[in-house]
Amino acid sequence: MTEAKPAMSALRRRMIDDMTLRNLSPATQRSYLHAVTKFSRHFGCSPDRLGLEDVRSFQVHLVAQGISWPALNQTVCALRFFYGVTLDRAEFPERIVYARTPRKLPAILGADEVVRFLEAVPSLKTRVALTTAYAAGLRASEAVSLKVADIDSARMVLQVRHGKGAKDRTVMLSAALLAILRSYWRLTRPNDWLFPGRGPDKPIDVQVLHSACRSATKAAGLTKKVSVHTLRHSFATHLLESGTDIRIIQVLLGHANLSTTARYTHVATSTIARTPSPLDRLDIVVTPLA
């Protein structure tokens, strides 16, 4: 283990440089470094001395430890990057397999549940941030990263900077949200960050939103597990149920693939209920049995 430290330090620096050159987000970089470090510590040696059989053994170990499927696949991404990019072993990545993740339908809040949830958030700043996340379908990281200058009331849009994949996008600014944001601004007078943290030079920590979601869920008496992403799921589903084209929803959410957005068709219950059955087209009468 002692011998592995200098090599690991050099590899760590190289991996950080590789990730920076490819513009991976700070959160992704931290996740990848944590995964490779954990892999190295499991075997007690530098990861460049480990091979595919070691990777497989490590994956089996993680599954036995009860790791979640998304976390396991995040580790796979990290190891594929490490071997394929940092170590330049092109044949390795495709042989490090992803886990087949069980596809679960997301939890969706009804309109009345959204109101109950938001009203149960005691902090003004956090409540407005979560309201904005629902109104514009934002991820937690996108909501906390909003700046006052991102609000374009003339065009009635919000500018989302550096979303997933470092992509910018434009989303709608509803009249109701604009009114809420203006009231919030008059009361708090944020200067740069729309939702500043403890100091004005940094935004509110994303963990503050996650913690608020847990507290508000309990306070509102909701049985569903509600997160910031639940608000985003609800945003998409409510748009779909109101007749918004799924391709528009794809753009608003910043999805690269339409198939990702299409899963909301499985939970848009009012859309499903309005869909006529082929039986409705048949001229058939069912007579009761004698």
Side-chain angles (χ1 to χ4, degrees), residues 55-233:
V55 172
R56 182 181 180 280
S57 175
F58 183 57
Q59 287 177 287
V60 171
H61 165 73
L62 292 177
V63 172
Q65 292 293 309
I67 191 173
S68 68
W69 297 117
L72 178 60
N73 281 336
Q74 185 79 339
T75 300
V76 170
C77 289
L79 293 174
R80 285 167 70 108
F81 184 93
F82 173 73
Y83 280 103
V85 178
T86 302
L87 296 185
D88 195 24
R89 299 179 184 173
E91 73 282 5
F92 268 48
E94 65 180 22
R95 297 176 66 184
I96 303 175
V97 298
Y98 289 104
R100 186 173 180 178
T101 308
R103 200 60 183 256
K104 295 182 179 179
L105 295 178
I108 303 298
L109 298 180
D112 61 327
E113 291 176 317
V114 172
V115 173
R116 283 168 53 197
F117 172 80
L118 293 174
E119 288 181 345
V121 182
S123 164
L124 173 64
K125 184 196 302 182
T126 309
R127 189 190 320 136
V128 175
L130 291 171
T131 301
T132 304
Y134 168 71
L138 306 182
R139 300 176 178 91
S141 59
E142 295 169 346
V144 300
S145 299
L146 285 173
K147 294 190 173 185
V148 175
D150 293 330
I151 304 171
D152 188 344
S153 58
R155 297 169 57 222
M156 293 302 288
V157 294
L158 283 175
Q159 299 297 330
V160 181
R161 314 284 182 184
H162 307 297
K164 190 172 183 180
K167 296 177 182 177
D168 295 349
R169 71 180 188 280
T170 302
V171 298
M172 81 280 264
L173 171 62
S174 79
L177 178 61
L178 179 59
I180 290 171
L181 291 174
R182 281 174 169 166
S183 295
Y184 162 75
W185 186 85
R186 284 194 295 268
L187 289 168
T188 62
R189 298 283 174 169
N191 183 29
D192 182 23
W193 298 103
L194 183 57
F195 307 113
R198 293 183 178 180
D201 58 332
K202 290 184 178 180
I204 188 173
D205 193 289
V206 71
Q207 293 302 323
V208 174
L209 297 192
H210 294 321
S211 177
C213 284
R214 291 191 292 270
S215 300
T217 301
K218 185 176 180 180
L222 297 173
T223 57
K224 298 172 183 175
K225 185 178 180 182
V226 183
S227 65
V228 183
H229 227 66
T230 305
L231 298 176
R232 178 172 158 88
H233 291 322

Side-chain angles (χ1 to χ4, degrees), residues 13-91:
R13 181 71 261 163
R14 181 178 178 83
M15 187 174 177
I16 290 172
D17 290 342
D18 288 336
M19 293 188 292
T20 302
L21 285 171
R22 285 155 183 79
N23 200 27
L24 299 188
S25 71
T28 300
Q29 292 193 32
R30 288 193 297 271
S31 174
Y32 281 16
L33 286 170
H34 175 74
V36 175
T37 300
K38 188 174 180 180
F39 174 57
S40 173
R41 288 175 178 169
H42 178 71
F43 291 100
C45 68
S46 181
D48 61 343
R49 300 179 186 176
L50 301 170
L52 285 172
E53 194 57 37
D54 299 309
V55 172
R56 182 181 180 280
S57 175
F58 183 57
Q59 287 177 287
V60 171
H61 165 73
L62 292 177
V63 172
Q65 292 293 309
I67 191 173
S68 68
W69 297 117
L72 178 60
N73 281 336
Q74 185 79 339
T75 300
V76 170
C77 289
L79 293 174
R80 285 167 70 108
F81 184 93
F82 173 73
Y83 280 103
V85 178
T86 302
L87 296 185
D88 195 24
R89 299 179 184 173
E91 73 282 5

